[in-house]
Amino acid sequence: MTLIEPEDPEIGDPVGAERPFTAECDQPATMKVFLDGTLVHTSDPDVQEVSYTFESAPLGEHMVRVVAANENGTGENYWTWNVLSTPPVVRRVNPVEQDVTDTVGSSRRNFSVSIDQMAIICISIDGFMIYTSTPIPNYHDYTISTPDGFASIVYDHLNTTGA
């Protein structure tokens, strides 16, 4: 059993990354692909190469194992696949300006943010946390009341699921 792609048995990818795994055998066999001990793919009989692409995997360390079996016996090889978290990227914030001024008495201001993955959004005014969302998908809109005077709004994004 030889690992073809990736060649290195120790690999890492960010959450959500698609990853193909390809292995070959020196003789015709039925080849099976496992993720953490669970069978995910079985090749046709009498092949010498198998390839399987995972669309993504959960955060953490995983073992991808390939087993080849024929009348001569079995052989196997594996990869250690570390799926890592990546911080969310803020793609759009409204209002776009960093400094926003409202007149005294105007108490509502709409703030929205677009991010590239599931995340928790935290909003603080003048250093005090006023809102923490549940894990949300890529877009969220907030209407918040601000006290009279100056306030700074900070979007703080924490990766939670990577989905």
Side-chain angles (χ1 to χ4, degrees):
M1 219 42 205
T2 304
L3 303 179
I4 302 298
E5 183 186 345
E7 290 181 51
D8 190 346
E10 302 279 333
I11 56 169
D13 285 312
V15 169
E18 185 177 273
R19 169 60 78 170
F21 290 89
T22 304
E24 70 180 12
C25 185
D26 65 351
Q27 52 190 285
T30 299
M31 300 172 77
K32 296 180 179 183
V33 180
F34 296 84
L35 176 65
D36 298 326
T38 301
L39 179 65
V40 295
H41 177 73
T42 302
S43 75
D44 292 329
D46 299 323
V47 299
Q48 287 186 260
E49 183 175 289
V50 67
S51 187
Y52 185 81
T53 300
F54 290 92
E55 291 185 16
S56 67
L59 184 67
E61 187 174 279
H62 305 279
M63 183 184 2
V64 177
R65 185 171 57 110
V66 179
V67 176
N70 65 16
E71 64 279 351
N72 298 325
T74 62
E76 68 179 69
N77 212 330
Y78 67 91
W79 293 268
T80 301
W81 185 21
N82 194 7
V83 178
L84 309 168
S85 173
T86 58
V89 174
V90 176
R91 295 197 172 158
R92 184 177 58 82
V93 175
N94 186 27
V96 179
E97 304 82 20
Q98 284 188 332
D99 295 322
V100 178
T101 304
D102 286 322
T103 59
V104 173
S106 61
S107 61
R108 294 193 98 39
R109 165 67 72 173
N110 190 48
F111 293 90
S112 61
V113 61
S114 176
I115 52 180
D116 69 342
Q117 61 185 280
M118 184 77 77
I120 293 173
I121 303 297
C122 301
I123 298 179
S124 62
I125 297 179
D126 293 331
F128 296 98
M129 189 73 61
I130 64 161
Y131 180 81
T132 300
S133 74
T134 57
I136 59 162
N138 301 345
Y139 178 80
H140 204 69
D141 197 45
Y142 307 95
T143 301
I144 61 172
S145 297
T146 58
D148 291 339
F150 297 101
S152 62
I153 308 298
V154 178
Y155 288 99
D156 184 17
H157 37 84
L158 306 171
N159 186 24
T160 58
T161 64

